[in-house]
Amino acid sequence: LLNNGSTGLHFAYPLGKSTESPDPIAGSTIHSITKEQGKLRCGIFDRVGFGKEIVSTKGTRWEGMDADYCYALSASLFNGQTNKVVFLHLTNSADGFQALESGLVDVVA
């Protein structure tokens, strides 16, 4: 596509059109998360301002910057759906690395 001058870019769509979303490569981590698991498994620490587990009568939810990162990542993988994330509470960074290595989580926030 040619740039018509309205984008301010050298190319009209340097990374492709945002309305087009190709399927992830079979066997890739993203394919596993989106097609096989159907959810993002996010390891998170309970830290003030970054991650805080909130328990209420409506259920349990996470708040904070780390939680927001996981929600945003879920939205990018599942076409805007932030509810496709499952949190795993971690106690320290060593737990996070072990959880990643074992495949227990897909990402640590």
Side-chain angles (χ1 to χ4, degrees):
L1 298 171
L2 296 175
N3 187 352
N4 64 7
S6 65
T7 64
L9 300 172
H10 294 291
F11 303 100
Y13 301 100
L15 302 174
K17 290 186 177 182
S18 61
T19 56
E20 297 174 4
S21 178
D23 285 335
I25 298 169
S28 69
T29 302
I30 293 176
H31 181 267
S32 172
I33 293 168
T34 58
K35 304 297 181 189
E36 296 170 13
Q37 294 172 195
K39 62 187 177 215
L40 173 69
R41 300 170 304 176
C42 184
I44 191 167
F45 304 98
D46 198 349
R47 300 181 297 166
V48 176
F50 291 93
K52 181 68 179 160
E53 190 173 19
I54 308 296
V55 181
S56 69
T57 56
K58 295 181 181 178
T60 301
R61 63 185 168 82
W62 282 85
E63 291 183 348
M65 190 167 59
D66 289 350
D68 289 345
Y69 170 75
C70 293
Y71 289 128
L73 193 53
S74 172
S76 70
L77 292 170
F78 297 102
N79 297 320
Q81 297 180 25
T82 59
N83 62 342
K84 297 280 190 170
V85 61
V86 175
F87 291 99
L88 175 66
H89 185 231
L90 302 171
T91 55
N92 57 49
S93 59
D95 284 351
F97 289 114
Q98 289 172 353
L100 277 171
E101 186 176 24
S102 69
L104 191 58
V105 296
D106 302 309
V107 65
V108 173

